[in-house]
Amino acid sequence: MIAVIDYGRGNLGSVEKAFRRVGCPAVVTQDPRAVDDAQAVVLPGDGAFHDAMRNLDALGLLPALRRALDGTRPFLGICLGYQLLFSTSEEFGEGRGLDVVPGAVRRLPPGPKIPHMGWNRVEHAGDLKLFDGIPPAARFYFVHSFYPVVAGTVSTPFGEGGLTQMRVAPAARSDRPEMRVAPEARPLRIAWCQYGIRFAAAIEVGRIYATQFHPEKSQRWGLRMLGNFAAIVKDGA
């Protein structure tokens, strides 16, 4: 069973329904015990970063959420649930996130219309499990005004093979030892999107997966992605 965390943010019904469509049972829950007992955990979300952190704390979900992020079970963050994995956010003032992945959430720069809303291409190198069977320029549905800046990564130009693997730099590791991402043991793989700037549209580090876009709203390729996550859960990978 997959636990979809309900902290008052996100299109929970759509996420649960999408998992049902790919043949994987999921339960929407605010119960920390259900999160602890689940085979895998999904953190969806829409709305403001700091409000989400306060809601998680007020509902007593933060300890169970941190246990779900210890690397022993598959975890999927979606949209705001992706951004919450980073160290800090500047949305409505600087504040702390879950600090699982070193980096900061910043506002999209002036230029294209904000929020970034609608379909856009996501490029990947074929090395992310979530993107198995998904072409390198598949389109996914985005709704966001902020994006994560991943600390300690060095990007390379696009080539015929896509992007090379990224790693979290030693200097960029979290200051919380229990949530630290060891660069030599846990490579950080990234898929990219272009919207005024080039930003990390999805990441994979160990058993933690996360997307800035909404796979549950992304039709064919979004369902394929959720099916890939369900297969990871089933295989215990």
Side-chain angles (χ1 to χ4, degrees):
M1 177 70 73
I2 295 174
V4 180
I5 296 179
D6 175 9
Y7 57 103
R9 296 289 185 274
N11 198 352
L12 303 171
S14 293
V15 174
E16 188 274 335
K17 182 179 178 180
F19 275 114
R20 192 163 64 242
R21 286 187 64 185
V22 299
C24 188
V27 59
V28 176
T29 184
Q30 292 185 343
D31 185 352
R33 293 169 298 181
V35 176
D36 282 333
D37 292 342
Q39 291 176 275
V41 175
V42 176
L43 184 67
D46 294 304
F49 187 101
H50 304 319
D51 284 348
M53 289 297 294
R54 282 192 292 269
N55 284 6
L56 287 164
D57 186 32
L59 291 166
L61 286 164
L62 278 177
L65 177 55
R66 294 195 187 282
R67 289 190 291 271
L69 287 161
D70 66 5
T72 60
R73 292 176 287 167
F75 178 94
L76 176 63
I78 298 173
C79 196
L80 181 58
Y82 166 43
Q83 295 180 2
L84 292 173
L85 298 180
F86 288 83
S87 307
T88 64
S89 172
E90 68 178 15
E91 186 176 0
F92 302 116
E94 198 78 13
R96 299 291 290 181
L98 294 166
D99 201 16
V100 178
V101 180
V105 177
R106 303 299 186 207
R107 184 170 177 82
L108 287 166
K113 183 179 179 181
I114 298 175
H116 173 203
M117 181 181 295
W119 296 86
N120 207 342
R121 291 182 176 85
V122 175
E123 297 287 348
H124 66 92
D127 59 347
L128 288 85
K129 292 180 180 179
L130 278 189
F131 286 83
D132 182 46
I134 296 174
R139 295 168 66 89
F140 293 88
Y141 190 81
F142 290 83
V143 183
H144 65 115
S145 300
F146 292 78
Y147 72 103
V149 178
V150 183
T153 56
V154 179
S155 61
T156 58
F158 282 103
E160 291 182 1
L163 291 163
T164 59
Q165 180 173 290
M166 306 296 173
R167 290 182 182 271
V168 177
R173 286 181 286 180
S174 169
D175 57 4
R176 296 180 51 246
E178 74 275 19
M179 303 301 288
R180 193 168 287 168
V181 181
E184 64 279 2
R186 300 174 68 185
L188 175 65
R189 298 182 173 92
I190 303 178
W192 299 92
C193 183
Q194 184 76 33
Y195 190 75
I197 59 167
R198 186 165 164 265
F199 67 90
I203 61 168
E204 174 182 319
V205 55
R207 291 183 173 183
I208 297 171
Y209 310 86
T211 69
Q212 181 61 73
F213 52 84
H214 288 269
E216 79 281 7
K217 298 179 182 179
S218 296
Q219 299 179 9
R220 176 187 178 185
W221 297 123
L223 285 177
R224 175 58 188 255
M225 179 167 287
L226 294 178
N228 288 343
F229 183 74
I232 290 167
V233 175
K234 182 179 179 181
D235 294 344

